[in-house]
Amino acid sequence: MKVSTEPVENSQVELKIEMEPAEIDKYMEKAYNRLVHKVSVPGFRKGKAPRDVLERHIGKDALFKEALEDLIPQTYKEALEEQKLEPIAQPQFELIQTEPLIFKALVPLKPTVKLGDYAKIKVESQPVEVNKEDVESTMEQLKQQHAILSPVERPVQFGDIVTIDIDGEKDGEPFPIRKDVAYEVLKEAKLPLPGFAENLEGMSKDEEKSFVLSYPPDYEMQELAGKDHAFRVTAKEIKEKTLPEVNDEFAKTLGKEDTASLREEIASNLKARAEERARMELEQKAVDAAVEISEVEYPPVLVDKEIERMLSDEARHFTEGIAGLENYLKTIGKTLEGHMEELRPTASQRVVRSLILGKLAETEKIEVPDSDIDAEIEKMVKDAAEKADEMKSFFNLPEARDSIKQFLTGRKTVDRLAQIATSST
């Protein structure tokens, strides 16, 4: 066996393997010993046909193909050991010729990461303020959540909540979209389409109305942009919304002594959320800066694996898993393969970010003790009630603990980078 290597881009190496006839014959003999017990040859019992007879019966190419099933992976393994290569995933094989037998393997190797001078990254923390308008806006949301809905016998007005059946039209035939939908009739509402709410205004209970609306030219789903959509709506119930008055009694219904304490809590919660957003934005800027000044080379297979993870996450939203996702994509005029290509840029960004943070964790000697993993598991099962023990057992499995450790390592690494980026020295 002759083996040669040639480095190629993206942390890969091309192995070229040429086999001697005697080496090939060894695998041909093994293939014969397997097939002779499976193939019926006229005039012979199974397992008794000589090799030359079996070759004539099934064809030398078929026997050779069977031999390759063992030959390629075994000789590839031997070539790796000879060249002292450590692949991170399965290679791509290419059969170059059969006489003499030569094949190639494109081997994905460990990525290389060269960190930039991340100690010089500087990101300013933005001050967080909560003004009176923010508090009053939240108060208005609370009023809306605690509004009283009362059935009325008048036509629909803006601000009402109407229960409607919605039908569409396809190929000239009506088809149901949704039944018993509670819809708030707000002027200039954009959902489900601009103009939908305006067409409901003035409808009476049990009235049916048909109308056509157009998707905006800049609609996010380009396959629907500018197209017409026919609706048929039946108003089944009309309710008027009455908002509560903001006073101490209203505050008490929310567990507060008075409106002053309610506003204080709202302001405190808004500030906490704003600080969390500011922290996340700061961390993102620090990571983006680290990515910008670093150099990363990695095999494409890592992006393929990340796309698989992203698809798996999306598929969890569908009862039928990947099949459900694929069916949904068909309804919007897309294919699974096309969607995978759409995910590729984001997957590439995730791979680069992960590799850089991994190298940074190694450089900064970020460690996650078992006590941190235990604490994270306790936090995850805190609200699980009767399923807490079952969930804790699952999260304590070696694979789950390793996943949690990776997550915590990443979080600690980002925290460390943010600390460096905001330090005054």
Side-chain angles (χ1 to χ4, degrees), residues 17-233:
I17 302 172
E18 181 176 346
M19 303 294 297
E20 298 292 339
E23 294 174 309
I24 298 172
D25 191 67
K26 179 178 66 174
Y27 287 97
M28 292 284 280
E29 186 68 19
K30 288 182 179 179
Y32 157 71
N33 288 328
R34 285 197 303 273
L35 291 179
V36 74
H37 295 285
K38 298 178 182 179
V39 178
S40 296
V41 180
F44 295 89
R45 291 184 313 221
K46 277 188 178 181
K48 299 300 182 180
R51 176 173 157 180
D52 60 336
V53 174
L54 181 68
E55 277 192 29
R56 286 197 300 272
H57 179 66
I58 65 174
K60 187 174 181 179
D61 286 345
L63 186 63
F64 181 69
K65 185 177 180 181
E66 177 72 17
L68 290 182
E69 294 294 321
D70 274 345
L71 184 153
I72 289 180
Q74 182 59 37
T75 54
Y76 168 68
K77 180 181 177 182
E78 293 170 3
L80 290 179
E81 293 173 354
E82 178 184 314
Q83 299 296 320
K84 295 180 172 55
L85 296 175
E86 297 182 5
I88 63 169
Q90 289 299 313
Q92 294 177 13
F93 291 111
E94 180 185 359
L95 185 62
I96 306 301
Q97 62 183 57
T98 57
E99 293 184 6
L101 175 60
I102 300 175
F103 69 92
K104 291 181 179 180
L106 186 61
V107 185
L109 302 177
K110 184 179 178 181
T112 58
V113 181
K114 183 180 179 182
L115 293 176
D117 191 357
Y118 62 88
K120 293 183 179 179
I121 293 175
K122 296 301 172 190
V123 179
E124 291 187 8
S125 179
Q126 298 299 318
V128 171
E129 295 182 2
V130 175
N131 55 42
K132 183 178 179 181
E133 288 73 18
D134 295 328
V135 174
E136 293 308 315
S137 176
T138 302
M139 188 72 82
E140 181 63 29
Q141 293 175 23
L142 289 173
K143 287 169 59 179
Q144 294 288 341
Q145 293 169 11
H146 292 81
I148 299 173
L149 302 179
S150 306
V152 292
E153 296 300 324
R154 57 165 175 74
V156 175
Q157 297 178 1
F158 287 117
D160 288 344
I161 305 292
V162 294
T163 302
I164 53 177
D165 288 346
I166 310 174
D167 296 327
E169 187 175 294
K170 187 175 183 180
D171 300 327
E173 296 294 327
F175 69 94
I177 297 178
R178 289 186 66 186
K179 299 293 184 183
D180 296 320
V181 179
Y183 181 82
E184 185 171 9
V185 186
L186 298 176
K187 187 175 288 188
E188 298 182 356
K190 294 182 179 180
L191 295 176
L193 277 176
F196 188 85
E198 282 73 10
N199 274 280
L200 300 188
E201 185 193 18
M203 287 185 68
S204 300
K205 184 178 179 180
D206 297 325
E207 180 181 349
E208 182 182 290
K209 185 177 182 180
S210 297
F211 51 90
V212 177
L213 297 173
S214 297
Y215 286 93
D218 58 350
Y219 193 65
E220 57 183 11
M221 294 182 185
Q222 285 300 308
E223 60 272 15
L224 298 177
K227 293 187 177 181
D228 292 339
H229 192 104
F231 291 96
R232 187 178 66 187
V233 178

Side-chain angles (χ1 to χ4, degrees), residues 266-324:
I266 290 173
S268 177
N269 290 339
L270 287 175
K271 185 175 182 181
R273 288 197 290 269
E275 288 174 342
E276 177 65 12
R277 286 195 301 271
R279 181 188 66 80
M280 292 176 66
E281 289 173 5
L282 184 147
E283 291 177 349
Q284 185 61 54
K285 288 179 181 178
V287 172
D288 289 344
V291 170
E292 183 69 24
I293 63 174
S294 300
E295 297 177 12
V296 182
E297 187 175 317
Y298 58 91
V301 67
L302 294 184
V303 177
D304 295 335
K305 288 184 176 182
E306 183 61 31
I307 290 174
E308 290 177 7
R309 278 192 287 269
M310 295 170 71
L311 284 176
S312 179
D313 289 341
E314 290 182 347
R316 289 194 186 99
H317 298 289
F318 299 89
T319 305
E320 299 163 336
I322 288 291

Side-chain angles (χ1 to χ4, degrees), residues 368-377 401 405 408:
V368 176
D370 286 343
S371 58
D372 284 3
I373 300 175
D374 295 336
E376 186 67 18
I377 292 174
R401 286 185 68 88
K405 183 176 183 178
L408 293 176

Side-chain angles (χ1 to χ4, degrees), residues 332-382:
I332 59 174
K334 295 183 180 182
T335 64
L336 186 62
E337 292 75 18
H339 183 54
M340 289 172 69
E341 287 308 306
E342 290 176 341
L343 295 176
R344 190 168 295 277
T346 301
S348 297
Q349 292 172 3
R350 289 188 179 186
V351 168
V352 170
R353 174 189 166 107
S354 176
L355 291 173
I356 289 174
L357 289 177
K359 185 66 174 180
L360 185 59
E362 178 185 327
T363 304
E364 289 291 317
K365 296 180 173 55
I366 303 295
E367 296 183 355
V368 176
D370 286 343
S371 58
D372 284 3
I373 300 175
D374 295 336
E376 186 67 18
I377 292 174
E378 289 297 332
K379 188 189 301 182
M380 294 165 73
V381 305
K382 181 179 179 182

